[in-house]
Amino acid sequence: MNTLFEFLGNKRSLYVLLILFAILNFSLTYFMPKDQALDLKFAYSVEEAYLLLGQLNQSQREFYCFGAWALDLPYMIVYTLFFSGILYRLWNKKRIAWIAFFILLADFFENIFILQVLKNYPSHLSDTVMYASIFTTSKWIFVGVVLLSIVGGLVNRYFQFSFSVADSKGVRA
């Protein structure tokens, strides 16, 4: 596993993953209805979900399903690898780099439940929507943890660099 994280933390790998991340992110905005996408909401209720999905026609719901399968699945893999690489590069610790995989798991199960809801629309699957909401909310919480870890890693790096430069100047004097 060390070699995987070392590979992901490599600058070249991070650049490639960043480009893929941007391309897939842009593509998803085309296929997923921004205002109605449950993937982008936080702690939605059954009523909210069906209100949002009710604003989509059949072809839009099918487009949403296609986007979830064809684009969101590879996107999950790319952003997981990208964030893991960044975390490993910043912290040099595998256990911190694994945090990004929790986003992947939550996003995967979120998509499974959302796809079930879309497939069975207009039938109300209250439990399925609640599970989707739980996984969506969990995903966004994990995204927050990853972003805080990245900011923390950048701050840590800054202070390490600042102190090492200050120490080296003191040694020369």
Side-chain angles (χ1 to χ4, degrees):
M1 269 308 160
N2 255 358
T3 54
L4 170 66
F5 289 117
E6 289 168 4
F7 172 76
L8 294 175
N10 177 300
K11 281 185 183 179
R12 185 173 294 146
S13 299
L14 286 172
Y15 287 133
V16 169
L17 289 168
L18 176 63
I19 291 167
L20 290 172
F21 176 80
I23 290 168
L24 288 168
N25 200 3
F26 178 75
S27 300
L28 277 169
T29 61
Y30 178 72
F31 283 95
M32 296 224 175
K34 188 172 111 180
D35 294 332
Q36 291 82 16
L38 299 178
D39 309 66
L40 303 177
K41 305 297 178 198
F42 188 84
Y44 50 86
S45 67
V46 173
E47 296 77 24
E48 283 178 278
Y50 280 103
L51 179 68
L52 293 170
L53 295 178
Q55 296 171 3
L56 302 174
N57 62 35
Q58 180 63 31
S59 66
Q60 290 171 316
R61 284 190 300 276
E62 289 171 4
F63 220 44
Y64 188 172
C65 285
F66 174 77
W69 277 117
L71 295 172
D72 201 26
L73 198 58
Y75 181 60
M76 285 185 258
I77 295 165
V78 168
Y79 73 64
T80 299
L81 297 176
F82 178 62
F83 287 140
S84 289
I86 289 173
L87 290 170
Y88 186 76
R89 186 168 181 84
L90 289 171
W91 291 100
N92 203 27
K93 295 180 182 174
K94 286 189 299 184
R95 72 174 185 269
I96 293 176
W98 278 104
I99 297 170
F101 285 87
F102 290 114
I103 303 171
L104 172 77
L105 285 172
D107 201 357
F108 178 76
F109 286 110
E110 165 203 59
N111 281 353
I112 296 297
F113 288 115
I114 289 174
L115 287 166
Q116 279 298 317
V117 171
L118 288 167
K119 179 183 170 193
N120 291 291
Y121 188 86
S123 298
H124 278 247
L125 304 175
S126 298
D127 289 345
T128 306
V129 171
M130 287 310 301
Y131 293 136
S133 180
I134 289 167
F135 282 109
T136 302
T137 303
S138 299
K139 173 186 76 175
W140 288 115
I141 291 170
F142 290 131
V143 167
V145 169
V146 165
L147 293 177
L148 286 173
S149 297
I150 290 171
V151 170
L154 290 170
V155 168
N156 184 43
R157 279 274 174 109
Y158 172 77
F159 283 115
Q160 281 180 345
F161 179 75
S162 297
F163 288 125
S164 68
V165 169
D167 289 344
S168 68
K169 286 181 182 176
V171 169
R172 281 189 242 154

